[in-house]
Amino acid sequence: MGSPQGSPGRGGLGLLVLFFLLLLSPVVVLPQLCVWYGECGVASGDKRYNCAYDGPPIALPEDGYDLMQELCPGLFFGNVSTCCDVRQLQTLKNNLQLPLQFLSRCPSCFYNLINLFCELTCSPDQSDFLNVTSTIPYYDPILKENRSSITELQYFIGERFANAMYNACKDVEAPSSNVKALGLLCGKDVKDCNATNWIEYMFSKDNGQTPFSIIPIFSDAPVRGMNPMNNATKGCNESMDDSTGPCSCQDCSIVCGPKPQPPPLPAPWLLFGLDAVYVIMWISYMGFLLIFFALVFGVWCYRRRHFISEYTPIDSNIAFSVNSHRDNGKITCGERLGERFENGLRMTFTSWGAFCVRNPRPVILFSVVFIAMCCSGFIYVKATTNPVDLWSAPSSQARKEKEYFDTHFGPFFRTEQLIIRAPNSHPDTYSPYPSGADIPFGPPLTKDILHQVLDLQDAIVNITASFDNETVMLKDICLAPLAPYNNNCTILSVLNYFQNSHSVLDHAIGDEFFVYADYHTHFLYCVRAPASLNDTSLLHDPCLGTFGGPVFPWLVLGGYDDDNYNNATALVITFPVNNYYNDSRKLMKALAWEKEFINFLKNYDNPNLTISFSAERSIEDEINRESNSDIGTVLISYIVMFVYISIALGHIQSCRRLLVDSKISLGIAGILIVLSSVACSIGIFSYFGIPLTLIVIEVIPFLVLAIGVDNIFIIVQTLQRDERLQGETLDKQIGRVLGDVAPSMFLSSFSETVAFFLGTLSTMPAVRTFSLFAGMAVLIDFILQVTCFVSLLGLDIKRQERNRLDILCCIKSNEEMSGVQRSESILFLFFRNLYSPYLLKDWMRPIVIAVFVGVLSFSTAVIHNVEIGLDQSLSMPDDSYVMDYFSQLGKYLHAGPPVYFVLEEGHNYTSLEGQNMVCGGVGCNNDSLVQQVFNAAEIGSYTRIGYAPSSWIDDYFDWVKPQSSCCRVYNTTGQFCNASVTDPSCTRCRPLTQEGKQRPQGKDFMTFLPMFLSDNPNPKCGKGGHAAYNSAVNFIHNKSDVGATYFMTYHTVLKTSSDFIDAMKKARVIADNITETMGIKEKSYRVFPYSVFYVFYEQYLTIVHDAIFNLCISLGSIFLVTTVLLGFEVWAAVVVSITIAMIIINMFGVMWLWGISLNAVSLVNLVMSCGIAVEFCSHVTRAFTVSTKGSRVERAEEALSHMGSSAHQ
């Protein structure tokens, strides 16, 4: 009974045991097997095959433990049985150096990548996912036995693993080249790279690194009995361990969160779908017309009803007040004071005029001596042609930042640039081998054109110039970042992808049927990986320029679409030349070479190439050429004015009295006085060391000529219209005439002088200098006119009365005439008989006011649309070669100027906190300097930052890692040992410990940084910082500390002045935000942006404020001076000021109509127009206030006829 009952129990237990044995059986039954072990046979160069081996894993010798722990710590357990020997581990380490330098910025990315290679190289379970498909026999001379070398195998990789590895690495940056790291490691453009083609490329024999073909097969499920390698991965947002954090935002978009978005553009201010200002001004103008004409009509009706006329006489005994209290017979204190002041001026100038006529010789002699003394200052004259001094005040922010940059990093280099097109060439089509879509190549990228361009480039390199009996070539002045180790000049040219060599350009691999790789292949690789030292195609040619730095495609190609550089329609070649602000001799050498460079290209003739070019000196040369040509214009203007004055001043009685009544000598004297006043102004300020500018030379002579000639006509024509009183002598007559007109001249000249001198309050050097020289010239011109010219006028009248010939005054005419006859000019008759009466009719005055208020309304409506800036082409002669360069620059350039974010001296780079504020790698702050510039580049259309910044500190951290072969020292001397040196005494700088893997801090940071900055890039270490960052770090305290540093990137393409202004403004906002987030706002240092154009465009940030300030100051001074000199006639001063304000506003309307932008030049002209407006308005206004006619209209007619005709001569 018991047995049957027990049998089932024993059977169930047996089945259970069997079940567990079955579960355990795979582990026991299927042993670990390798597919290779050791190296045997040479594949090519120093690359070797692996030896086929299908046995179990072999215990790693102890001398390989360090390597195993360093490279594959996941396999370092037990007795460390692996399928690789020490030599294979060393080969693995060497092969991982390039990806280590670029991908180790993101630890999880590199962890996944090294996992892929460790499993391939050493995994004890190789046979699960590796399948050898091809071997060749090999005789081992050491073991003296036959073995097999593996020439091809399949690597089964899980799709999940491949995609996870790619996703962790796709955003990693290469700071020194402003591109994604995968662009250097994928064999394709970053946008075309994915998990499969990246791994395929790394395992392809064609990449030049892999000794034999490894065929990856991607699947998550078993394939043909193989179990794909599908190890666990780390996402870029995951930490590797407790000591390392996730990848930085710059290298891992997941960490960043959503991409930054630019703020929305401000909505335009619209009313009824139109510009609100237009609508408001239109409604205002319509309202004004309605009210104004209603008032006019009401007044007209009132007058008709009460028979009141505008011409009703008023008490003519009181002549000096516009708004007088004649009706009640009361005279205010102001009117009494004004009358006394007016009488005082009249008597003073009357007496002075009579004195000058009675004593002409002493007055003229004194004037000549005064002019000579002032002009003696010409021996100290200096002319400023440096654009920086012209447009940027020494105290301006941009100027200070420029000086800081130049002092700490050296001045920005001089630029010689060519833009080359191939108009007669046709696009080329490249068909990749063995398969792939055809790729078009633009006309200038055909091989024949590239050879011709290389010939041109070589010819430029060999240009010789002579300076001070020395021969100057490009190599003597060029920027050579690796000197003295490598003296090759920096040449930013597509030909540098081919090492500036015809043979490299012709390098091709193929057979009689196919071309496997040629210059097309190399070009396509280099535009994706410009910093590569091996194009990894069959050519294996370097892309890095001969000068040691990368050549970015957007700097050397133009006219392409998106990132399709192969479609380029233009080549851009740039020769950076050292700038020498503080070494005039070296600067003169550079200028001499640039002159020969320009002459060479002007005379260069190649029908296949169209070349636009510019040198650093080109703009200044062309402006000087334009200025020299303007001298002729100035002379012609003065000659024409002299002829006009001579004709207009002389009232010829008859043909026989032509040479007696002419005023040629007086006209010459008047012109000379104007020129003398300009010369005196220049001489006086030259004594004080104030330099001249082109604006002073070209504008002030015309300004003073306009004002001076105006005064000459007023004096002479007033005298000609005057009749000498009974018993009055000539000196008293001229004195009386001068007493009538000189107060008006004094009013206008003094108003202009004060307005100009107050213009010196401007912060813009060009405006300030112009105002100084103009104010002094106008003042001296007035003084000479009321002294020297009055004396000369008296002598000329005496000559005329004695019937002596003009110029030939010693000859007497036979035509006798008793005294000088009163005469009236044609223009005076026109004003008196036609213009004034017609203009001042009752029905015409409202129309004139309505029209001019309409013009004012229009100008006010468009004033906000006047553009700000200065188009450089406007300052060039029309036939200048630079005009063509400017045109092509806007059409073909794809990158803006470089911009440097400078962190001033004072920051602590040796502390972890200080490093995190700046860097962009693992553990760095999400709002660090580098990260914020990177974020700005993400929205470049708004910020105008085009690319991620080059970060010396991030590349330094990658370079100094103990896993890298970059940082090594001789263990005997402690001196730096370059990665290319093969010497057993070279050991890594930092130990391969957990502490050694951390960033260097304190003394370590400063110990290895100079080594990094002196290390030249080479195939074993592409992170050497000599070429890229040698000038980016400023050492202080005998290299014991880091001073100022910069982080460089590029602006987006900037074409118009508004683009440049906006780029500077946005860069400053970014820098200010960085300063604030770094918490250094209250400290003695900050972050600021610097680009070479900032000093020229900073003025436009405040030019609206400056324009308003200068014009308001001018108007205010004119009002005060006019009020005083018009005898405290406040309303007259108000009318003058309002009229001038209307003129200035209307000038803005004209600027908008003619497309003239607001800049320093136009502001100078606005200030000048303010002065000229004073000239016209003040003369007529004063004539009105002193008129004794019976009504306002009659007084206006008299003022306009007498003063208006003379002022408009």
Side-chain angles (χ1 to χ4, degrees):
M1 294 288 295
S3 179
Q5 293 176 353
S7 295
R10 287 192 297 270
L13 180 61
L15 288 173
L16 187 61
V17 172
L18 179 62
F19 174 74
F20 279 108
L21 289 174
L22 288 173
L23 288 176
L24 297 173
S25 63
V27 179
V28 177
V29 174
L30 298 178
Q32 294 176 313
L33 295 175
C34 300
V35 299
W36 65 39
Y37 189 86
E39 295 179 348
C40 52
V42 177
S44 62
D46 60 347
K47 300 177 180 63
R48 301 177 65 84
Y49 293 120
N50 286 345
C51 303
Y53 168 71
D54 57 3
I58 300 173
L60 184 70
E62 290 187 5
D63 59 350
Y65 281 8
D66 288 344
L67 275 175
M68 182 62 74
Q69 280 186 300
E70 176 186 347
L71 299 172
C72 309
L75 300 179
F76 191 74
F77 60 88
N79 64 349
V80 196
S81 295
T82 64
C83 294
C84 62
D85 62 7
V86 177
R87 191 169 182 178
Q88 283 178 290
L89 280 172
Q90 188 60 52
T91 300
L92 174 62
K93 178 179 179 178
N94 293 338
N95 291 340
L96 285 174
Q97 284 306 304
L98 189 63
L100 170 71
Q101 294 161 28
F102 292 101
L103 297 179
S104 62
R105 286 170 49 86
C106 178
S108 50
C109 161
F110 191 68
Y111 167 82
N112 297 333
L113 179 73
I114 207 168
N115 207 341
L116 175 74
F117 282 95
C118 282
E119 291 296 318
L120 168 69
T121 307
C122 297
S123 174
D125 298 312
Q126 279 181 336
S127 59
D128 285 354
F129 46 80
L130 295 181
N131 179 37
V132 177
T133 56
S134 176
T135 61
I136 58 173
Y138 168 73
Y139 178 75
D140 190 334
I142 298 176
L143 299 178
K144 296 184 179 180
E145 62 182 19
N146 292 318
R147 306 183 70 179
S148 296
S149 297
I150 297 175
T151 57
E152 183 182 276
L153 85 161
Q154 296 172 329
Y155 188 0
F156 291 83
I157 304 171
E159 288 185 1
R160 180 194 59 77
F161 179 91
N163 290 327
M165 183 179 75
Y166 170 76
N167 289 331
C169 296
K170 65 181 180 180
D171 296 324
V172 178
E173 291 284 326
S176 62
S177 55
N178 300 99
V179 296
K180 299 293 184 186
L182 286 190
L184 309 173
L185 304 170
C186 193
K188 294 180 178 292
D189 197 271
V190 172
K191 66 178 184 294
D192 299 323
C193 186
N194 55 44
T196 55
N197 59 30
W198 176 30
I199 295 174
E200 287 171 353
Y201 177 76
M202 287 193 294
F203 289 153
S204 171
K205 186 178 179 181
D206 294 336
N207 67 19
Q209 303 296 321
T210 306
F212 52 88
S213 295
I214 301 174
I215 303 169
I217 298 174
F218 301 96
S219 174
D220 283 333
V223 179
R224 297 193 292 273
M226 306 297 288
N227 296 313
M229 192 281 292
N230 222 340
N231 287 6
T233 56
K234 294 282 186 180
C236 63
N237 59 337
E238 297 180 71
S239 299
M240 284 292 303
D241 49 49
D242 295 337
S243 61
T244 58
C247 302
S248 70
C249 173
Q250 188 173 343
D251 299 317
C252 180
S253 57
I254 305 174
V255 174
C256 297
K259 183 179 177 180
Q261 297 296 320
L265 294 174
W269 188 26
L270 301 176
L271 289 176
F272 311 113
L274 300 172
D275 189 308
V277 180
Y278 293 172
V279 175
I280 291 171
M281 291 311 301
W282 174 256
I283 294 174
S284 300
Y285 181 55
M286 290 297 102
F288 166 80
L289 289 181
L290 184 64
I291 296 171
F292 176 70
F293 280 107
L295 289 173
V296 169
F297 182 73
V299 171
W300 179 78
C301 291
Y302 180 81
R303 284 178 176 172
R304 287 202 30 119
R305 182 176 180 182
H306 293 86
F307 304 98
I308 294 177
S309 171
E310 174 68 20
Y311 291 86
T312 301
I314 62 174
D315 183 6
S316 60
N317 294 325
I318 303 173
F320 299 110
S321 180
V322 178
N323 52 335
S324 68
H325 298 262
R326 298 178 182 85
D327 298 340
N328 53 24
K330 293 181 180 179
I331 298 178
T332 65
C333 179
E335 290 172 345
R336 187 178 295 108
L337 182 62
E339 182 179 355
R340 290 178 180 174
F341 187 78
E342 172 67 27
N343 289 333
L345 282 178
R346 186 190 300 271
M347 293 176 62
T348 300
F349 282 112
T350 298
S351 301
W352 177 253
F355 173 82
C356 290
V357 175
R358 287 195 306 271
N359 305 281
R361 290 174 180 79
V363 172
I364 294 172
L365 179 62
F366 176 80
S367 300
V368 171
V369 171
F370 172 76
I371 292 170
M373 290 175 62
C374 292
C375 290
S376 63
F378 269 76
I379 60 177
Y380 304 106
V381 72
K382 296 177 183 177
T384 299
T385 56
N386 186 347
V388 175
D389 294 328
L390 283 173
W391 306 117
S392 180
S395 59
S396 68
Q397 179 182 341
R399 187 72 172 273
K400 289 179 179 178
E401 290 170 351
K402 179 186 182 302
E403 290 174 358
Y404 189 94
F405 186 91
D406 292 349
T407 302
H408 291 80
F409 309 112
F412 192 79
F413 49 78
R414 304 175 68 85
T415 302
E416 335 296 341
Q417 194 169 67
L418 295 79
I419 300 174
I420 304 172
R421 283 117 36 229
N424 302 324
S425 181
H426 300 287
D428 183 23
T429 301
Y430 168 60
S431 300
Y433 177 86
S435 63
D438 288 350
I439 301 173
F441 272 65
L445 292 175
T446 60
K447 184 186 288 189
D448 180 55
I449 293 296
L450 289 175
H451 275 297
Q452 294 180 50
V453 173
L454 182 53
D455 287 335
L456 168 63
Q457 181 177 299
D458 289 340
I460 291 173
V461 170
N462 293 321
I463 288 174
T464 57
S466 179
F467 172 74
D468 199 17
N469 296 323
E470 292 184 34
T471 299
V472 182
M473 297 182 69
L474 180 63
K475 64 182 180 181
D476 301 318
I477 58 175
C478 71
L479 182 69
L482 295 185
Y485 312 102
N486 177 348
N487 291 317
N488 288 329
C489 291
T490 298
I491 303 177
L492 300 178
S493 164
V494 71
L495 279 314
N496 232 324
Y497 290 149
F498 307 95
Q499 309 301 292
N500 300 323
S501 166
H502 287 284
S503 60
V504 176
L505 183 58
D506 287 330
H507 189 195
I509 302 293
D511 55 29
E512 57 184 322
F513 301 106
F514 299 104
V515 175
Y516 305 139
D518 64 358
Y519 86 97
H520 295 99
T521 318
H522 187 64
F523 172 86
L524 292 172
Y525 180 84
C526 289
V527 294
R528 294 189 302 268
S532 173
L533 290 157
N534 185 333
D535 70 2
T536 67
S537 71
L538 294 174
L539 299 174
H540 303 308
D541 290 328
C543 296
L544 200 68
T546 56
F547 58 92
V551 178
F552 300 122
W554 58 83
L555 296 179
V556 297
L557 298 167
Y560 53 84
D561 55 295
D562 296 326
D563 290 333
N564 300 313
Y565 303 112
N566 49 285
N567 290 333
T569 55
L571 305 180
V572 181
I573 301 179
T574 306
F575 300 89
V577 169
N578 286 316
N579 217 341
Y580 307 99
Y581 284 155
N582 299 320
D583 191 329
S584 58
R585 181 175 176 79
K586 289 183 178 179
L587 179 60
M588 294 303 294
K589 286 184 178 181
L591 290 170
W593 187 88
E594 287 175 353
K595 184 176 181 181
E596 293 301 321
F597 168 81
I598 293 170
N599 292 335
F600 172 82
L601 288 173
K602 281 183 176 178
N603 298 317
Y604 182 79
D605 184 29
N606 184 334
N608 296 321
L609 303 178
T610 301
I611 303 172
S612 305
F613 65 94
S614 174
E616 186 73 19
R617 65 177 291 164
S618 293
I619 293 177
E620 192 170 334
D621 283 352
E622 293 301 287
I623 289 176
N624 289 337
R625 182 165 75 89
E626 178 81 345
S627 301
N628 292 334
S629 66
D630 287 344
I631 293 174
T633 305
V634 173
L635 291 176
I636 292 172
S637 301
Y638 270 76
I639 291 170
V640 170
M641 190 59 67
F642 155 70
V643 173
Y644 172 71
I645 292 172
S646 301
I647 295 172
L649 286 182
H651 289 178
I652 312 301
Q653 303 285 331
S654 64
C655 292
R656 285 177 296 180
R657 290 187 57 82
L658 174 65
L659 293 179
V660 175
D661 293 338
S662 68
K663 300 290 184 186
I664 296 174
S665 57
L666 194 62
I668 293 174
I671 295 293
L672 289 176
I673 284 174
V674 171
L675 287 174
S676 297
S677 64
V678 176
C680 287
S681 176
I682 295 172
I684 289 172
F685 288 114
S686 294
Y687 273 121
F688 295 98
I690 299 174
L692 281 170
T693 64
L694 292 176
I695 292 179
V696 169
I697 297 170
E698 295 181 1
V699 177
I700 290 181
F702 287 103
L703 170 66
V704 181
L705 180 65
I707 295 172
V709 168
D710 190 21
N711 291 339
I712 289 172
F713 274 106
I714 289 173
I715 296 174
V716 175
Q717 291 188 345
T718 303
L719 178 64
Q720 290 172 341
R721 290 193 294 265
D722 183 71
E723 289 187 5
R724 193 174 300 175
L725 301 177
Q726 186 72 27
E728 188 178 40
T729 59
L730 176 63
D731 62 305
K732 291 182 178 180
Q733 181 193 15
I734 293 179
R736 177 170 51 81
V737 169
L738 189 66
D740 288 338
V741 300
S744 179
M745 294 167 53
F746 179 60
L747 166 63
S748 62
S749 298
F750 192 65
S751 298
E752 291 157 359
T753 299
V754 172
F756 283 134
F757 279 148
L758 288 176
T760 60
L761 297 175
S762 171
T763 58
M764 302 173 68
V767 177
R768 186 169 61 250
T769 304
F770 167 80
S771 298
L772 266 179
F773 283 86
M776 183 61 71
V778 170
L779 179 62
I780 294 176
D781 181 57
F782 169 74
I783 294 172
L784 291 177
Q785 283 176 335
V786 297
T787 53
C788 185
F789 184 78
V790 170
S791 295
L792 291 169
L793 177 62
L795 291 175
D796 189 71
I797 296 297
K798 291 177 182 178
R799 173 198 62 77
Q800 189 177 0
E801 289 179 342
R802 295 170 184 171
N803 291 321
R804 295 188 178 276
L805 301 184
D806 193 13
I807 301 178
L808 303 174
C809 55
C810 56
I811 301 175
K812 190 172 183 179
S813 172
N814 295 325
E815 186 71 18
E816 293 292 335
M817 187 187 74
S818 57
V820 177
Q821 301 295 317
R822 180 176 181 270
S823 61
E824 296 172 340
S825 68
I826 296 174
L827 190 61
F828 171 76
L829 295 174
F830 168 76
F831 266 77
R832 187 184 66 184
N833 300 329
L834 292 175
Y835 182 73
S836 298
Y838 187 77
L839 181 68
L840 293 170
K841 287 184 179 295
D842 285 352
W843 60 270
M844 177 58 72
R845 281 178 286 159
I847 294 175
V848 170
I849 291 173
V851 169
F852 276 88
V853 171
V855 174
L856 177 67
S857 300
F858 166 79
S859 299
T860 305
V862 302
I863 196 170
H864 67 287
N865 289 329
V866 174
E867 292 189 1
I868 295 174
L870 176 64
D871 185 353
Q872 284 187 330
S873 61
L874 295 177
S875 60
M876 297 291 106
D878 291 335
D879 61 345
S880 172
Y881 65 92
V882 181
M883 292 288 285
D884 177 54
Y885 170 76
F886 283 151
S887 172
Q888 304 308 319
L889 197 66
K891 188 182 298 183
Y892 292 111
L893 210 64
H894 280 264
V899 55
Y900 304 84
F901 285 87
V902 178
L903 180 53
E904 292 180 343
E905 181 180 322
H907 188 68
N908 182 9
Y909 294 90
T910 62
S911 70
L912 185 62
E913 181 185 8
Q915 294 168 1
N916 289 341
M917 290 181 183
V918 175
C919 62
V922 179
C924 301
N925 297 344
N926 284 339
D927 57 1
S928 69
L929 185 155
V930 171
Q931 186 59 48
Q932 289 199 53
V933 179
F934 174 82
N935 291 340
E938 292 287 286
I939 48 174
S941 59
Y942 172 75
T943 62
R944 300 193 182 272
I945 300 296
Y947 305 93
S950 299
S951 172
W952 65 267
I953 194 168
D954 288 298
D955 273 340
Y956 171 51
F957 290 152
D958 293 339
W959 179 88
V960 81
K961 286 179 179 176
Q963 302 96 313
S964 166
S965 62
C966 292
C967 186
R968 303 190 305 162
V969 293
Y970 291 101
N971 57 15
T972 53
T973 62
Q975 297 297 311
F976 174 63
C977 175
N978 188 277
S980 60
V981 175
T982 303
D983 190 326
S985 65
C986 290
T987 59
R988 59 172 64 96
C989 296
R990 309 190 76 214
L992 194 63
T993 61
Q994 196 62 35
E995 182 182 352
K997 292 179 182 179
Q998 301 300 312
R999 292 189 214 147
Q1001 298 176 38
K1003 185 179 178 181
D1004 274 0
F1005 184 92
M1006 292 308 306
T1007 299
F1008 305 120
L1009 181 58
M1011 299 179 185
F1012 164 70
L1013 296 174
S1014 66
D1015 188 18
N1016 295 334
N1018 59 73
K1020 291 189 176 181
C1021 177
K1023 286 278 186 177
H1026 191 179
Y1029 303 119
N1030 185 45
S1031 63
V1033 180
N1034 179 244
F1035 288 109
I1036 57 176
H1037 305 145
N1038 197 24
K1039 289 194 174 184
S1040 65
D1041 202 357
V1042 175
T1045 68
Y1046 68 67
F1047 299 81
M1048 189 191 79
T1049 182
Y1050 290 87
H1051 280 299
T1052 54
V1053 179
L1054 309 175
K1055 296 182 179 180
T1056 64
S1057 290
S1058 58
D1059 291 342
F1060 284 96
I1061 296 166
D1062 188 53
M1064 177 174 59
K1065 193 184 300 182
K1066 296 289 175 51
R1068 286 186 170 180
V1069 170
I1070 294 167
D1072 289 343
N1073 191 60
I1074 292 171
T1075 301
E1076 187 171 347
T1077 54
M1078 287 179 66
I1080 59 175
K1081 196 171 183 179
E1082 305 302 324
K1083 298 184 180 180
S1084 59
Y1085 65 97
R1086 65 189 178 100
V1087 176
F1088 68 85
Y1090 170 75
S1091 191
V1092 68
F1093 69 87
Y1094 286 0
V1095 288
F1096 306 114
Y1097 284 89
E1098 185 188 39
Q1099 57 182 306
Y1100 303 121
L1101 297 180
T1102 58
I1103 196 166
V1104 173
H1105 172 270
D1106 287 342
I1108 294 172
F1109 175 79
N1110 278 281
L1111 296 175
C1112 287
I1113 284 288
S1114 298
L1115 284 173
S1117 64
I1118 289 167
F1119 172 77
L1120 291 175
V1121 173
T1122 305
T1123 300
V1124 173
L1125 296 185
L1126 283 181
F1128 298 95
E1129 289 283 1
V1130 177
W1131 285 109
V1134 169
V1135 169
V1136 170
S1137 301
I1138 290 176
T1139 304
I1140 295 173
M1142 291 175 62
I1143 291 170
I1144 292 172
I1145 293 173
N1146 291 340
M1147 288 291 292
F1148 278 102
V1150 172
M1151 288 171 63
W1152 179 79
L1153 283 174
W1154 290 355
I1156 299 172
S1157 56
L1158 179 61
N1159 50 59
V1161 177
S1162 56
L1163 181 54
V1164 163
N1165 283 277
L1166 286 170
V1167 173
M1168 184 175 71
S1169 67
C1170 187
I1172 293 176
V1174 172
E1175 185 72 17
F1176 289 97
C1177 295
S1178 60
H1179 287 311
V1180 175
T1181 303
R1182 184 181 179 281
F1184 176 83
T1185 61
V1186 300
S1187 174
T1188 58
K1189 294 293 183 178
S1191 69
R1192 290 194 298 270
V1193 173
E1194 290 174 342
R1195 294 161 71 190
E1197 281 189 11
E1198 183 185 45
L1200 190 57
S1201 300
H1202 285 77
M1203 276 299 178
S1205 61
S1206 296
H1208 286 80
Q1209 280 282 358

